[in-house]
Amino acid sequence: MDTIRLLGHSHIDAVWLWTKDETLRVCVDTFSNVLDLMDKYPGLIFCQSTAQYYEWIEKNRPDLFERIRARIREGRWEVVGGSWVEFDCNLPSGESLVRQMLYGKRYFMEKFGVDVDIAWLPDSFGYSWTLPQILAKSGIKYFLTQKLRWNDTTVFPYNVFWWQSPDGSKVLSHQTLGSYSESLENVEELMRQLLMLRLRHGLTDLLVLFGYGDHGGGLSEQHVERALRLIKEYSSGERVVKFSRASEYFSQLEKHAKSRDIPVINDELYLQFHRGTYITQAEIKKWNRKVEALAENAEKLATIAESLGAKYPLLPLREAWKTILFYHFHDAICGSSIKEVYEEAEEDYEKAAAALYKIIEDSLTAIAKHVNTAGEGTSLLIFNTQSWTRRGIVSLDVSGLGERVFSVSDQHGEAVPSQLVNDGGKRRLIFIADGVPPIGFKEYRLTTTKTQQPSPSGLSIAETHERIRLENEYLSAEIDKNSGLLVGLEHKPTGWSVIRRGEAVAIHIFEDKPSSARKAIEGGFEAVLFDAWEIYIFDQPDGVKSFRLDKPVSVEVVEKGPVRSAVASRYRFSQEGRQDTEITVRTVLYSAIPILYLEVEMDWRAQHKLAKLSIPTSIESEHICYEIPYGHIYRRTPYSKNSTTSERGKHEVPGQRWADITSEEQRVGLSVFNDCKYGFDATLNEVRVTLIRSPSYPPRWPASGIERWLAEGEPTDQGRHVATIGLYPHAGDWRDAQTVRLAIEFNNPLIAKLEEAHAGPIPKTYSFIAADGDAPITALKLAEDGDHIVLRLYEPHGRGATTTLKLQAEVKEAVEADLLERPLKPLTINNGQLKLTLNPHEIKTILLRK
């Protein structure tokens, strides 16, 4: 029998063409309206996601909250989603995606006694391959979207499928036949959807989401009357039309999946549309990367401090995480909201960052007072928040210490090369710390000298009429003085010349004016409507238009020392009718560090332009590897002769802290790191990092007509932007080269803490928790309830791992848990060590108790 299930629904954008205060008003109006309709129509069923909205209602309208709670108990108001907001799935870190479910599901269980098992992401802009594992380990069984109807290159062919992560975790998934806000006016359209479902999957059970979306509103009385008319007039002996919960629908899908084979998609769900969302609004993306790292480091250090007697700042950490999670809403972090949203976001991020910096500083102070810092001069404790021994750059702000000259020595009293530099107007002392233990610290000593003595190091810089050469123990880099471009990069251990002969690492600026060359195949929306969302560089009527920055205003050596040397190449880009854009690329090399840093500073004034940093290599590979949340993915470049139609649609792709191109034949490769970028593309021998683009802001709500929507508005991303790109040539592939570790280090510098001399029970070099093997510890925190320590790690290489955790003697009990911190099975600690086996790509959570 054919079944059409009608479910009231109101997709509410947390921010978009309006700000948070408007969203709260929309929630109040929407929920009040739905509850009133429920009073009038006893059979009506409605579903709503997003824990953030319920918390707003709880705090601002407790009367409304109690009415919602009553309808949830009755079973007519269905809580779906389980996450804090309907989040973007490509740009947040893996740990952030875990926290979406942790905070969202815990809220729903605490307030309503509901253990949500349906992930509800109808409007997010593509879905990371690792998401099914995060969902499954959070107690989610099902996944719903409608967004893949918006593909512009190939039709997404499935409406019912198993979606599988690389580790083998699966969730039963539904791509709706219609939108998330059907009007119920067109009965023929519903019958067409039912027919397509039958033809594709042999399924005769259709879920229809009806109501107003985006700006909320919920349901109108006309919606409900239409639904009742459908139920009355189209139910027959061969068909039933009824109100239904989403959970009832997924139960039927589960029965269907058991009775016949349904497709398994073991891949990302890439949206062939909205590719510009990886780039637009560069500053919110930079803030996101920054506060994600701050939150993880603050938790680790606060957990250590708590073990030494300090109070754990549970509530401040939770509030900071809620800020981070809120702005993972897809129209926020993806850059498709109005200007006021980003002005408010910056204020919120600044508050969250200030709170996290305070937690870090308080935790360092609490730890340092227990350390034996006795000795000549001032103790300089270098903290490593990662789970392996590190060598890294230390940058200490000495602006408040006067114009003194400093000397750094190690624990043996040996002088360590150091250098005073000016970074952003601050006077900093930099040096390279070595052997800093895992999740621990190492002491150096800081003394004052009359003059800074030159210290020998492996770093050198040489200048001729045509070239500037930077060289350290690992790399040799050449900059052409006529163009200011990096034209040579040698990996000294292998002798490999990284950059293709005759080419250079350069910024290219592309024409990115909206074009009507494409549209969503099933959704029907024209790409020209989505300036903030979409990239148009390949859609220009006369072909791709780009301009290479290779005529510098100046090229000069700006730093020359034993720790760091730098060359600055300055450029100007002119666009008719606009102020000139000024761009400076600082090529920086440190002593004893195998990475070449490219610091890009832009005063960006262009409109409908897009800038990419092109890195041409002397090797060739049709597959490029990218970091994704808690994992990696190989994608074939669309320029390969072997690429499929859908692969050719991936002409801009999301990634996180690193991308890698490797030649299997030559056994060399190049990893490209970044500290705030998420958009990439690649040819067979070139990786390109998308730096910035400047579409027009979307109009404010309400947009009155298509002319208003298409009107030339204020361009986004104007002003100063700074990004750092790292080039890491290596032998072997990225796994052999420990690319994951170095990319984490690139985004999490060593932390310096000055401490006066005093006695203490903790020695001058100490590790609180260490992990051998390749699985990094990504989270170390106190449990949301109880006195457990939560430790999370993941297998990054796709080949499994055995890891031994070296714990403090006080830890007596270990239990494996799910991502909601619920115990699963006990583990055995032997002599302070916990041995773990991780399957390929596995995320593992451990609870430790003293």
Side-chain angles (χ1 to χ4, degrees):
M1 178 183 292
D2 291 351
T3 303
I4 299 177
R5 300 172 184 270
L6 306 178
L7 176 58
H9 175 244
S10 188
H11 174 69
I12 299 173
D13 286 319
V15 287
W16 182 30
L17 309 182
W18 51 85
T19 54
K20 284 188 297 186
D21 56 344
E22 171 74 359
T23 310
L24 173 58
R25 188 190 67 77
V26 165
C27 288
V28 170
D29 291 348
T30 298
F31 298 169
S32 298
N33 177 51
V34 169
L35 290 165
D36 290 345
L37 287 172
M38 283 183 164
D39 291 342
K40 184 173 182 179
Y41 297 97
L44 177 62
I45 297 175
F46 177 78
C47 72
Q48 181 65 55
S49 70
T50 307
Q52 175 68 85
Y53 301 162
Y54 292 90
E55 185 182 67
W56 281 345
I57 297 297
E58 180 188 14
K59 291 179 178 179
N60 293 277
R61 285 291 304 273
D63 58 323
L64 200 58
F65 188 76
E66 288 305 317
R67 291 179 67 192
I68 292 171
R69 195 199 300 263
R71 291 304 185 189
I72 290 172
R73 286 196 299 265
E74 186 185 8
R76 293 176 57 203
W77 183 299
E78 184 177 20
V79 180
V80 294
S83 51
W84 196 251
V85 296
E86 290 183 11
F87 52 91
D88 177 75
C89 304
N90 290 312
L91 310 187
S93 69
E95 187 58 26
S96 288
L97 296 186
V98 170
R99 301 307 173 95
Q100 283 286 349
M101 308 315 298
L102 175 68
Y103 288 113
K105 285 200 64 172
R106 286 181 60 87
Y107 180 87
F108 291 134
M109 286 188 282
E110 177 186 342
K111 303 299 180 180
F112 307 126
V114 175
D115 189 1
V116 179
D117 61 4
I118 304 173
W120 197 268
L121 298 170
D123 200 30
S124 299
F125 308 152
Y127 306 92
S128 169
W129 189 15
T130 48
L131 186 57
Q133 180 182 185
I134 293 171
L135 297 178
K137 290 192 172 185
S138 301
I140 296 288
K141 297 169 61 178
Y142 313 116
F143 166 75
L144 179 140
T145 184
Q146 63 87 41
K147 199 64 176 185
L148 300 173
R149 300 169 59 249
W150 290 49
N151 275 1
D152 66 9
T153 307
T154 59
V155 172
F156 185 76
Y158 308 120
N159 298 99
V160 181
F161 56 96
W162 289 107
W163 185 24
Q164 181 171 304
S165 274
D167 76 309
S169 299
K170 291 192 294 187
V171 289
L172 184 59
S173 303
H174 180 49
Q175 159 73 31
T176 62
L177 277 293
S179 75
Y180 52 62
S181 54
E182 295 288 299
S183 68
L184 304 184
E185 291 182 290
N186 189 339
V187 177
E188 288 75 17
E189 170 59 19
L190 299 184
M191 297 307 168
R192 184 199 69 81
Q193 293 178 19
L194 189 59
L195 174 62
M196 290 305 300
L197 192 59
R198 183 187 299 114
L199 292 175
R200 285 180 175 178
H201 300 288
L203 186 63
T204 58
D205 204 327
L206 177 70
L207 177 65
V208 179
L209 306 177
F210 70 95
Y212 293 121
D214 298 344
H215 195 246
L219 318 174
S220 68
E221 195 156 349
Q222 289 81 6
H223 280 122
V224 184
E225 290 292 343
R226 289 176 200 142
L228 292 172
R229 187 169 63 251
L230 285 170
I231 291 170
K232 180 179 179 181
E233 296 180 5
Y234 288 89
S235 294
S236 65
E238 297 179 353
R239 182 189 308 115
V240 60
V241 183
K242 62 181 181 179
F243 290 120
S244 175
R245 293 161 57 92
S247 57
E248 294 168 344
Y249 184 68
F250 274 103
S251 293
Q252 290 302 310
L253 292 187
E254 200 161 26
K255 292 177 183 177
H256 178 77
K258 290 177 181 177
S259 64
R260 62 177 66 205
D261 290 336
I262 64 171
V264 177
I265 296 181
N266 190 20
D267 198 357
E268 65 182 337
L269 301 180
Y270 176 89
L271 177 64
Q272 301 162 358
F273 214 52
H274 296 356
R275 301 170 183 88
T277 59
Y278 317 142
I279 306 107
T280 306
Q281 291 294 345
E283 283 305 292
I284 193 172
K285 292 169 170 64
K286 183 165 185 173
W287 268 114
N288 175 67
R289 183 76 63 83
K290 178 179 180 177
V291 294
E292 283 180 334
L294 282 175
E296 291 184 23
N297 289 329
E299 284 181 338
K300 289 177 179 178
L301 292 168
T303 301
I304 295 169
E306 192 274 342
S307 73
L308 298 172
K311 182 180 179 181
Y312 187 78
L314 180 64
L315 293 180
L317 283 168
R318 188 178 291 167
E319 289 306 307
W321 269 112
K322 285 181 181 180
T323 296
I324 296 167
L325 300 180
F326 177 83
Y327 285 107
H328 287 160
F329 180 76
H330 49 269
D331 278 313
I333 194 172
C334 290
S336 47
S337 291
I338 57 174
K339 182 178 182 180
E340 290 84 350
V341 167
Y342 298 105
E343 292 172 342
E344 188 173 40
E346 185 164 2
E347 294 177 2
D348 288 345
Y349 277 130
E350 285 176 348
K351 292 176 185 175
L356 293 168
Y357 277 125
K358 183 177 187 305
I359 292 170
I360 289 172
E361 182 58 35
D362 290 349
S363 299
L364 293 176
T365 299
I367 297 167
K369 71 180 184 181
H370 293 275
V371 179
N372 176 12
T373 58
E376 182 183 353
T378 303
S379 175
L380 180 54
L381 300 177
I382 307 302
F383 284 83
N384 170 19
T385 56
Q386 306 309 313
S387 53
W388 57 88
T389 301
R390 286 178 61 178
R391 171 192 294 169
I393 303 156
V394 175
S395 178
L396 178 67
D397 185 358
V398 293
S399 303
L401 302 180
E403 295 300 315
R404 292 180 289 172
V405 178
F406 301 97
S407 175
V408 178
S409 58
D410 63 18
Q411 292 173 309
H412 306 292
E414 298 292 330
V416 175
S418 61
Q419 183 177 340
L420 283 167
V421 299
N422 186 319
D423 271 357
K426 290 185 176 181
R427 190 169 182 252
R428 290 188 175 274
L429 181 71
I430 62 173
F431 67 97
I432 306 300
D434 200 5
V436 185
I439 307 184
F441 63 87
K442 179 178 180 178
E443 187 197 49
Y444 286 79
R445 306 300 298 187
L446 185 67
T447 55
T448 303
T449 62
K450 293 183 179 180
T451 58
Q452 190 164 29
Q453 298 298 318
S455 304
S457 74
L459 182 65
S460 66
I461 185 167
E463 186 172 2
T464 67
H465 181 68
E466 297 290 333
R467 298 286 174 94
I468 301 172
R469 177 187 289 270
L470 300 168
E471 191 165 357
N472 70 6
E473 298 87 338
Y474 300 97
L475 303 174
S476 176
E478 284 198 353
I479 297 164
D480 176 63
K481 293 176 72 173
N482 293 318
S483 66
L485 302 179
L486 180 68
V487 295
L489 180 61
E490 181 187 348
H491 181 236
K492 292 168 71 173
T494 60
W496 172 42
S497 294
V498 177
I499 300 171
R500 191 164 66 249
R501 184 180 295 276
E503 299 288 345
V505 175
I507 293 174
H508 296 252
I509 298 179
F510 292 79
E511 186 75 15
D512 190 32
K513 194 164 183 62
S515 165
S516 58
R518 291 173 288 109
K519 70 176 184 179
I521 297 172
E522 292 185 85
F525 301 102
E526 296 278 352
V528 72
L529 297 172
F530 293 95
D531 194 1
W533 291 258
E534 192 49 83
I535 282 178
Y536 306 99
I537 64 175
F538 301 109
D539 300 336
Q540 300 306 305
D542 299 324
V544 176
K545 297 179 181 178
S546 67
F547 176 84
R548 187 175 89 159
L549 295 181
D550 57 10
K551 295 178 175 57
V553 175
S554 64
V555 179
E556 59 180 323
V557 175
V558 292
E559 284 184 16
K560 185 177 182 179
V563 180
R564 183 171 83 185
S565 292
V567 177
S569 303
R570 297 182 175 88
Y571 302 91
R572 184 173 291 116
F573 173 74
S574 298
Q575 180 181 2
E576 186 176 353
R578 299 201 60 78
Q579 184 179 340
D580 284 354
T581 289
E582 296 182 356
I583 299 176
T584 299
V585 180
R586 282 169 42 99
T587 304
V588 181
L589 192 63
Y590 289 87
S591 171
I593 301 295
I595 301 166
L596 183 69
Y597 290 72
L598 302 176
E599 298 173 355
V600 182
E601 181 175 352
M602 295 182 280
D603 184 10
W604 183 256
R605 300 295 171 182
Q607 182 170 23
H608 288 137
K609 304 292 182 182
L610 179 149
K612 286 179 175 286
L613 179 69
S614 167
I615 305 147
T617 72
S618 61
I619 59 175
E620 185 172 298
S621 176
E622 68 174 352
H623 287 95
I624 311 298
C625 192
Y626 301 88
E627 184 185 37
I628 58 177
Y630 270 146
H632 66 273
I633 188 170
Y634 279 94
R635 300 183 179 108
R636 181 181 278 124
T637 171
Y639 304 100
S640 166
K641 64 181 181 180
N642 299 314
S643 63
T644 64
T645 304
S646 61
E647 286 171 334
R648 288 171 189 162
K650 296 184 180 184
H651 49 77
E652 183 81 21
V653 296
Q656 298 214 333
R657 293 170 295 198
W658 60 271
D660 183 86
I661 181 170
T662 290
S663 168
E664 293 183 4
E665 293 78 15
Q666 296 173 248
R667 296 296 297 165
V668 292
L670 176 69
S671 294
V672 180
F673 303 143
N674 73 86
D675 68 345
C676 59
K677 299 302 171 187
Y678 295 92
F680 303 82
D681 75 326
T683 67
L684 291 169
N685 48 27
E686 175 188 28
V687 176
R688 297 193 292 198
V689 182
T690 309
L691 298 173
I692 199 167
R693 64 185 299 260
S694 45
S696 297
Y697 279 102
R700 286 189 60 86
W701 177 269
S704 53
I706 197 70
E707 293 81 9
R708 172 71 178 88
W709 187 267
L710 290 174
E712 188 84 354
E714 181 183 358
T716 69
D717 288 291
Q718 303 297 285
R720 183 175 182 267
H721 299 270
V722 180
T724 303
I725 309 298
L727 305 185
Y728 172 49
H730 57 77
D733 75 359
W734 58 270
R735 299 174 182 87
D736 304 323
Q738 293 290 354
T739 285
V740 172
R741 284 187 176 185
L742 269 68
I744 292 172
E745 292 178 9
F746 196 85
N747 284 267
N748 293 271
L750 294 169
I751 303 171
K753 166 69 175 172
L754 288 171
E755 184 73 4
E756 293 302 318
H758 55 67
I762 300 178
K764 296 176 179 292
T765 298
Y766 194 71
S767 172
F768 293 92
I769 295 180
D772 63 10
D774 292 331
I777 295 175
T778 52
L780 183 67
K781 62 186 284 288
L782 284 200
E784 295 299 309
D785 52 23
D787 57 354
H788 286 88
I789 293 172
V790 179
L791 183 149
R792 190 157 23 254
L793 62 170
Y794 80 108
E795 196 290 300
H797 294 155
R799 57 189 181 190
T802 299
T803 296
T804 300
L805 300 179
K806 299 175 183 177
L807 309 172
Q808 297 304 301
E810 296 82 7
V811 177
K812 304 298 183 185
E813 178 186 305
V815 179
E816 186 170 345
D818 68 6
L819 295 179
L820 298 190
E821 304 176 3
R822 298 179 295 201
L824 296 175
K825 63 180 181 181
L827 301 170
T828 302
I829 298 175
N830 287 318
N831 298 320
Q833 296 189 342
L834 176 61
K835 189 173 184 180
L836 300 173
T837 298
L838 283 79
N839 295 322
H841 309 282
E842 182 182 7
I843 305 166
K844 193 178 285 289
T845 303
I846 308 298
L847 304 181
L848 304 173
R849 189 193 294 270
K850 297 177 185 177

